[in-house]
Amino acid sequence: MTTRAHALPRQNNLRRAIAAAAARLIAEEGVEDYAFAKRKAARQMGLTEAESLPTNAEVEEALQEHLAIYQDDDHHERLFALRTAAAEVMHILEPFKPYLTGTVLNGTAGAYSSVELEIYTDSAKDVEIFLLGTTLRYEHKEVRRGGHDVPEAILEFDYDGAPMRLSIFDRIAERNPRKPGPGGTSERARIEAVEALLSGDI
């Protein structure tokens, strides 16, 4: 008979194994949604989604470990290039006080990662009208509806070879506790913090 004491180590081992498999999917296959990566990893291991899945924090820890083992100079160069592109676009969007978030901010960006930017404003249309006066040519992405934590609009575009995803939220959402995004993180940074990362001050 399996006791709870015996079940816990097995459950913890499963969580670690799923987290490691999800980290590989994120780093090597360009999967950006942590929830999807966890479910896919569990299925690949022959486990049901009813099994205890790891948290986003556990996947991020596994991803950091994976990158520490397998990352090379190309990873550092790409991360620096993505952060540089992010800073340049944030300067363009400075009237709207954008944030950088996601894997480019936390350093776990893979070969297929996008730069995740966020803007909080009274009107998404104001941002789009502003962009018409720049060289940035964007495409609308479909947005599910419901709640202040859901973007009013998501715009995607390339900047100097870097894929960008700009999420535009209602201003009220800026004051609400943030839920982790597809990249598993709820952290966000203004342009000053991004430039500090680039200069090595953080």
Side-chain angles (χ1 to χ4, degrees):
M1 182 175 177
T2 302
T3 66
R4 180 175 177 80
H6 288 110
L8 281 175
R10 177 181 180 276
Q11 187 179 63
N12 290 337
N13 288 337
L14 277 177
R15 290 166 69 93
R16 283 193 290 270
I18 295 170
R24 284 194 297 273
L25 290 171
I26 293 165
E28 298 173 7
E29 297 186 19
V31 176
E32 293 189 345
D33 188 317
Y34 276 36
F36 175 79
K38 287 185 286 188
R39 293 194 301 269
K40 183 173 180 179
R43 289 196 300 271
Q44 288 179 344
M45 296 169 64
L47 304 171
T48 67
E49 290 185 20
E51 301 276 1
S52 182
L53 294 178
T55 65
N56 286 345
E58 289 172 316
V59 173
E60 186 168 331
E61 181 180 354
L63 182 55
Q64 295 281 9
E65 292 174 357
H66 181 93
L67 293 174
I69 296 170
Y70 298 105
Q71 71 184 2
D72 51 22
D73 290 341
D74 287 344
H75 171 79
H76 294 291
E77 291 173 6
R78 176 159 179 78
L79 182 60
F80 184 83
L82 289 172
R83 285 175 171 172
T84 298
E88 291 177 5
V89 171
M90 290 174 82
H91 274 297
I92 294 172
L93 297 171
E94 192 169 9
F96 299 98
K97 296 180 169 45
Y99 290 98
L100 174 65
T101 186
T103 58
V104 174
L105 175 60
N106 69 21
T108 60
Y112 306 96
S113 295
S114 297
V115 175
E116 300 279 351
L117 299 173
E118 294 181 355
I119 283 176
Y120 296 83
T121 182
D122 293 325
S123 171
K125 286 296 181 186
D126 288 346
V127 180
E128 295 184 47
I129 291 170
F130 175 85
L131 288 173
L132 291 176
T134 72
T135 58
L136 304 177
R137 297 293 173 260
Y138 59 84
E139 292 184 2
H140 274 275
K141 303 302 290 184
E142 185 176 350
V143 178
R144 63 180 179 84
R145 297 298 174 186
H148 288 303
D149 60 336
V150 177
E152 291 190 0
I154 297 177
L155 311 179
E156 292 188 347
F157 54 91
D158 281 348
Y159 179 85
D160 197 23
M164 301 271 170
R165 182 182 292 120
L166 174 62
S167 298
I168 306 172
F169 294 86
D170 186 285
R171 191 180 299 278
I172 296 173
E174 189 172 13
R175 300 192 296 269
N176 296 337
R178 299 185 71 251
K179 295 181 179 179
T185 181
S186 60
E187 298 176 357
R188 61 189 180 191
R190 296 283 198 197
I191 179 64
E192 296 81 8
V194 177
E195 290 179 334
L197 280 173
L198 288 169
S199 66
D201 290 341
I202 295 180

